Amino acid sequence: MTNIISKNLEKKEFRNTLIAFILAFFVLGAFLIIPDSTPKIMLIFMVLLVLGFLITINFRKLSSFATYKPEMPVEKRFIGFDKNIIIGLIIGIIVGFGFIWLQSFKALSVLSLSIPSLPYSISASAFIVKYTSPLVETLFFAPMLSILYLFMPFGWALFIRATSFMLYHYWSYVVVAGATISSVSGAFISAFIFSILAGLLAYNFGAESDFSFHSTFNIYNYSREFGSLSVVG
């Protein structure tokens, strides 16, 4: 009976994750046809999304090659959008505001995250930063964490995810957005710490908590940078 229940929960989590992928593909497709939206960042997002999707749909097959605790059930390793999505979203939002509150302490100012000028969309940058980027990055880094967990302890998998997340933001800010390292140097440390916490949220409460945590954080920082009612970057 336990095995049957576990498989049913896994199927529901897998279904919810596929729905999130479909939504993300739809949003990216819509942005690709916006006349003044430079497709470069959208194409980067699309690559991340395709990679995450391929990992997700092949995860059960890939899990057969697991070398770390190969007897562990698939549902223990797969980190997707959980069965209680609303609860996960709320938890992510609460933790997001807690993380923002910690930024107010001078000793923890390293947690603050600046947002450089975003050249990839004049009319849609607010939506990209606040919602599209968190969704796409969650759908890439959560499957990454899942696949790493097949071959190493969760702590090491989380460390590699956080390092990759930090390097990805270095590349996005400095190479793609053209920001100087000095202007966003604190963002890399913040990104590492942020990804550790986001990974723990995804593992314990579902990828939806990672998404809402990320989105809450981005909404706050974007609003602080450009104004709460700003729709352009």
Side-chain angles (χ1 to χ4, degrees):
M1 179 62 72
T2 302
N3 289 335
I4 294 175
I5 293 174
S6 297
K7 288 181 180 179
N8 286 337
L9 294 181
E10 181 194 343
K11 286 180 181 179
K12 192 168 185 179
E13 185 173 1
F14 184 75
R15 181 204 66 190
N16 290 343
T17 304
L18 287 183
I19 291 173
F21 271 109
I22 292 171
L23 174 62
F25 277 120
F26 177 80
V27 171
L28 290 189
F31 273 116
L32 285 172
I33 63 174
I34 294 177
D36 65 348
S37 179
T38 305
K40 184 177 181 180
I41 193 65
M42 291 297 107
L43 292 175
I44 293 169
F45 281 168
M46 189 64 77
V47 170
L48 293 180
L49 202 58
V50 168
L51 289 174
F53 178 73
L54 290 175
I55 291 173
T56 299
I57 63 174
N58 290 291
F59 189 75
R60 178 174 285 281
K61 185 181 295 183
L62 292 170
S63 66
S64 65
F65 299 102
T67 56
Y68 176 71
K69 295 185 177 180
E71 73 284 355
M72 186 182 295
V74 174
E75 64 272 11
K76 293 289 187 180
R77 299 183 188 272
F78 180 65
I79 302 171
F81 282 67
D82 213 348
K83 60 186 184 300
N84 296 316
I85 290 182
I86 300 301
I87 294 175
L89 289 173
I90 293 173
I91 291 173
I93 292 171
I94 292 171
V95 175
F97 278 113
F99 197 78
I100 291 166
W101 175 70
L102 289 175
Q103 291 180 173
S104 64
F105 293 93
K106 189 173 182 180
L108 297 175
S109 60
V110 69
L111 297 178
S112 63
L113 179 62
S114 59
I115 294 181
S117 298
L118 304 173
Y120 43 77
S121 175
I122 295 174
S123 65
S125 62
F127 191 84
I128 291 171
V129 171
K130 294 177 180 180
Y131 308 108
T132 308
S133 176
L135 180 59
V136 171
E137 291 173 16
T138 295
L139 288 170
F140 174 73
F141 286 101
M144 171 194 278
L145 186 58
S146 299
I147 202 73
L148 289 170
Y149 192 30
L150 294 174
F151 305 102
M152 62 189 71
F154 183 76
W156 279 110
L158 189 60
F159 177 82
I160 293 175
R161 171 203 148 113
T163 302
S164 300
F165 189 82
M166 179 181 66
L167 293 175
Y168 165 75
H169 278 76
Y170 166 82
W171 180 74
S172 298
Y173 281 15
V174 177
V175 179
V176 177
T180 62
I181 295 178
S182 60
S183 67
V184 292
S185 58
F188 308 134
I189 299 174
S190 177
F192 181 85
I193 298 172
F194 177 92
S195 187
I196 291 287
L197 185 52
L200 289 171
L201 281 171
Y203 179 74
N204 288 287
F205 304 106
E208 65 274 14
S209 62
D210 181 344
F211 164 71
S212 61
F213 171 51
H214 196 162
S215 187
T216 299
F217 194 60
N218 279 18
I219 288 171
Y220 170 80
N221 282 287
Y222 190 94
S223 299
R224 184 189 62 183
E225 199 81 16
F226 300 111
S228 60
L229 299 179
S230 174
V231 293
V232 297

